[in-house]
Amino acid sequence: MPALGRFEIIRETGKQSGGPEEDYWQECFTWPDLKKIVPALKAQGWRVTVEPVSREEIFGRIHIFSFTYGINHDFRILNVAGIRIIIARDCGIPKTLKESFTPAGS
């Protein structure tokens, strides 16, 4: 993965329910997950920001990887702290927009 840029970290679920809100929720991490993932990523030199979300707030939200599957996106599937995660970033928009990019619906 490139050292610079803004990435979205998503839980790999392996199956989609067909409901966007439910799928988004299933791809989010729990606090116990984050207590494992964040220190592991920081130990590898990543700067990590956690954005809390409640079930009531997820209406209309989607993750980058959910609708692109690599089109104009760089992504990797990794095993971090025993949890399979997807690290994705948009390569198709200009750098100035990437730096302030928030996934659709956020």
Side-chain angles (χ1 to χ4, degrees), residues 2-49:
L4 297 174
R6 186 173 199 161
F7 296 85
E8 185 175 18
I9 302 172
I10 308 160
R11 172 195 288 278
E12 183 189 45
T13 60
K15 62 179 180 174
Q16 300 292 315
S17 71
E21 286 81 22
E22 189 60 31
D23 290 342
Y24 181 88
W25 187 253
Q26 294 302 317
E27 294 169 348
C28 292
F29 296 100
T30 64
W31 286 115
D33 292 342
L34 291 172
K35 288 179 183 177
K36 296 175 188 174
I37 293 170
V38 170
L41 291 174
K42 285 186 174 186
Q44 294 177 21
W46 289 78
R47 187 171 33 176
V48 180
T49 302

